[in-house]
Amino acid sequence: MGDVLTRDAKVALIASYASKPEQIVNLLFRLQRTSKQHYIDQKTAQLVSDHLKIPVSGVYELCSYYPILNVKPQAKYMLKLCNAAPCTLVGGEMIRQTLEAVLGVPEDTVTEDGLFAYKSVGGLGACDQAPFIKVGTKVFGHLDETKTKQLVHDLQNGHYDHEI
Ligand code: FES
C-alpha cells in the first residue's frame, strides 16, 4: 500500500512545522494519517529528521512514547477481544481461537493482505454482548464460530466500512 501524500507534499507539510518544534507530535500524527497503514515509515521519519534537524532516533523516540503514533504498519481492521474473566467464561477464548484459525496469524500480527489483526485487551465495557469483537467503536456481539467467520468475510468485503 502506498502513502496518500507524495514526497514533495510531505516535505511541504514538514516545512510548515519548522518554526513550531513544540508541535512535532501533531506533525507526526498528521503524517501518520496520510499513511494507508497508519504508521510512520522509515522514509517519513528520515524526512522529518532531515528537515527539522533532529536525529532520526529522536523521531522514533517520540513515536514510541506516544501511543497514538505507530512505527509498524497497522491493520485496516483491528479486532479487539475482551480477555477479562466474564467474557472469557462465555466464549471469548473460542472467538480468539476462531480468529487465529481463520486469519492464520497469532495475536497482534497483521495479516499479509494488511486487512486484519486481533488483540485481547481487558474490560471493553460490553459485557452484556459477550462474546463480542469490537472494531473501531462498533461492537459485534453474541458471536459464535459461524458468526465470527461471517464477520471476517463481511469486513473483507467492506460491508461495515461506513460504520467503523
Ligand atoms: S468483562 Fe469483557 S467487556 Fe466486560
Side-chain angles (χ1 to χ4, degrees):
M1 290 188 199
D3 287 354
V4 177
L5 283 186
T6 62
R7 184 185 181 284
D8 287 350
K10 281 185 186 177
V11 169
L13 179 60
I14 294 166
S16 73
Y17 280 79
S19 62
K20 304 177 264 190
E22 74 284 0
Q23 290 187 27
I24 187 168
V25 175
N26 285 348
L27 166 64
L28 291 170
F29 188 62
R30 286 183 68 184
L31 288 167
Q32 179 173 281
R33 286 182 62 187
T34 71
S35 158
K36 284 189 178 167
Q37 290 181 290
H38 309 291
Y39 79 115
I40 302 293
D41 61 66
Q42 208 176 346
K43 284 183 184 166
T44 302
Q46 191 64 55
L47 281 178
V48 172
S49 169
D50 292 346
H51 291 272
L52 297 188
K53 309 284 182 244
I54 56 171
V56 76
S57 60
V59 177
Y60 280 118
E61 269 174 36
L62 285 167
C63 292
S64 306
Y65 184 77
Y66 290 95
I68 56 166
L69 298 172
N70 305 306
V71 291
K72 288 193 311 189
Q74 303 296 297
K76 180 175 181 185
Y77 306 109
M78 171 55 84
L79 314 183
K80 289 190 182 156
L81 313 169
C82 176
N83 61 5
C87 287
T88 307
L89 286 173
V90 294
E93 177 57 17
M94 178 269 297
I95 301 296
R96 195 197 64 73
Q97 287 173 3
T98 302
L99 288 177
E100 187 169 18
V102 171
L103 300 177
V105 290
E107 265 197 70
D108 215 7
T109 305
V110 181
T111 53
E112 210 167 297
D113 59 10
L115 283 181
F116 297 103
Y118 61 99
K119 193 175 194 170
S120 300
V121 293
L124 286 168
C127 313
D128 57 329
Q129 297 181 69
F132 65 86
I133 291 174
K134 191 169 183 180
V135 187
T137 56
K138 187 166 174 61
V139 173
F140 297 90
H142 308 297
L143 296 176
D144 56 22
E145 189 179 334
T146 305
K147 287 179 184 170
T148 301
K149 288 177 180 171
Q150 184 64 46
L151 173 60
V152 170
H153 179 265
D154 289 345
L155 288 166
Q156 266 167 340
N157 290 295
H159 198 73
Y160 294 105
D161 282 3
H162 59 291
E163 294 179 57
I164 53 180

